[in-house]
Amino acid sequence: MTVRVVHNPAASRFEAEVEGRLCRADYRMDGDTMLVVHTEVAPILEGQGIAGELVREVFAHAQREGLKVAPMCSYVRAWARRHPEVAGLLAAGW
């Protein structure tokens, strides 16, 4: 499945609309660190890699913008552990 993820800075989140449902990764900024606090995918859409695509875009955005990521959400922490290539983007202590 191809998921089109967009950054919605006004809402402080990354979003994808899939089958008419909003999927998202919410964050808050703390200086140059994105605190990713929540990911949400409708239960009917789970298991299709949508949350992973949202989080991949969070890290891609952080890299482009010179930001760090603090994975406050358990899904984001687990995703980052499975993707060691993003280790350099993690905020200190994560």
Side-chain angles (χ1 to χ4, degrees):
M1 168 185 291
T2 301
V3 177
R4 182 175 168 268
V5 177
V6 296
H7 182 208
N8 180 344
S12 298
R13 67 185 180 205
F14 290 81
E15 318 174 321
E17 186 175 319
V18 180
E19 297 179 9
R21 293 177 170 83
L22 179 67
C23 305
R24 63 188 216 230
D26 300 330
Y27 67 89
R28 292 191 314 261
M29 292 302 300
D30 183 12
D32 66 350
T33 301
M34 296 176 68
L35 291 82
V36 186
V37 296
H38 180 68
T39 56
E40 185 174 318
V41 174
I44 195 167
L45 298 173
E46 288 178 356
Q48 299 182 46
I50 299 165
E53 289 302 314
L54 290 165
V55 175
R56 186 178 313 281
E57 187 54 33
V58 166
F59 278 93
H61 174 80
Q63 184 171 32
R64 286 190 303 271
E65 300 297 320
L67 303 171
K68 293 294 184 181
V69 176
M72 314 277 300
C73 166
S74 61
Y75 178 84
V76 179
R77 279 194 304 276
W79 187 95
R81 280 194 299 272
R82 291 191 311 272
H83 294 86
E85 68 273 14
V86 302
L89 295 170
L90 293 172
W94 292 97

